[in-house]
Amino acid sequence: MVGQDSAVDVYRQALPVILVSLVAGLFAGTLLGTETMREGIRSVPGILLLLPAFLATRGGVYGSLGARLSSGLHQGLIDPHFEWNDRLRNAVVASFLNGMIVSVLIAVLAWGVLLVLGRSGNLLELIIILVVAALLSAFAMLGVLLTVLFKGYRRGLDPDNVIGPVVTTVGDVFGVVFLLIGIEVAGVIL
């Protein structure tokens, strides 16, 4: 990556990703409207309360990782060919832990809001759902993020132009799907 991108270069790189994000976002919305998701919302008090926070933190935690790795690539601190070195490992582990800890915190806060509102809720159920969803989404998001980041960079794309929409879209689509899986897992466990 030499020099600065022109506005046309940024537009050329970002537009296809944004269009794919638009379609994927509509797909995530469609998933929210399915009977399975509506049943999950009905059966698990607090799930609708924590959904926006959970999805937002996927984008925040892994968007931050993408920005950190993108900066490392631009500065020459990270090799553009995937190599599991200390710098990459530390960034990935920190993001993974942040995502897991924040997910448990979201479950606790959602349960607390339910109590304040005088509604019933099962803290253990919310924690199980979010731990399962966070774990599955971490693996999916890390795989997609690292692939897009390194392959895109090697193909001449500026990761700063594409990683944001990719991370938020993947977080939304996989986040909704993995919340459904978390609801099923919690139903089996409890």
Side-chain angles (χ1 to χ4, degrees):
M1 313 266 14
V2 180
Q4 292 184 329
D5 293 337
S6 70
V8 172
D9 291 334
V10 172
Y11 179 79
R12 182 184 54 78
Q13 291 177 23
L15 182 63
V17 175
I18 291 170
L19 292 175
V20 169
S21 295
L22 171 69
V23 172
L26 291 172
F27 176 71
T30 302
L31 288 175
L32 283 172
T34 63
E35 185 57 39
T36 304
M37 189 65 185
R38 286 196 304 261
E39 180 56 36
I41 291 168
R42 281 190 292 274
S43 69
V44 180
I47 199 75
L48 195 56
L49 180 64
L50 58 76
L51 177 69
F54 177 74
L55 296 180
T57 58
R58 300 307 93 194
V61 167
Y62 295 101
S64 174
L65 173 63
R68 186 175 306 112
L69 296 179
S70 179
S71 294
L73 284 169
H74 287 304
Q75 295 170 357
L77 300 172
I78 296 177
D79 186 41
H81 300 282
F82 182 83
E83 179 183 320
W84 196 244
N85 58 32
D86 286 342
R87 184 177 300 276
L88 180 60
R89 181 175 22 274
N90 291 340
V92 168
V93 168
S95 293
F96 175 80
L97 291 174
N98 284 340
M100 295 303 292
I101 291 167
V102 167
S103 296
V104 171
L105 182 61
I106 290 168
V108 171
L109 290 173
W111 178 73
V113 169
L114 287 172
L115 291 180
V116 168
L117 295 174
R119 298 187 179 159
S120 64
N122 184 332
L123 177 60
L124 181 58
E125 180 178 38
L126 293 176
I127 289 174
I128 290 169
I129 291 168
L130 282 189
V131 165
V132 168
L135 185 63
L136 294 173
S137 66
F139 289 123
M141 293 187 73
L142 286 170
V144 170
L145 184 143
L146 294 173
T147 300
V148 168
L149 194 78
F150 287 109
K151 285 191 176 199
Y153 188 83
R154 286 195 310 270
R155 292 184 176 155
L157 294 176
D158 183 346
D160 291 332
N161 297 336
V162 296
I163 207 64
V166 167
V167 167
T168 55
T169 301
V170 170
D172 289 349
V173 173
F174 284 120
V176 170
V177 170
F178 294 146
L179 276 172
L180 287 171
I181 292 171
I183 291 168
E184 292 300 317
V185 169
V188 169
I189 292 174
L190 299 175

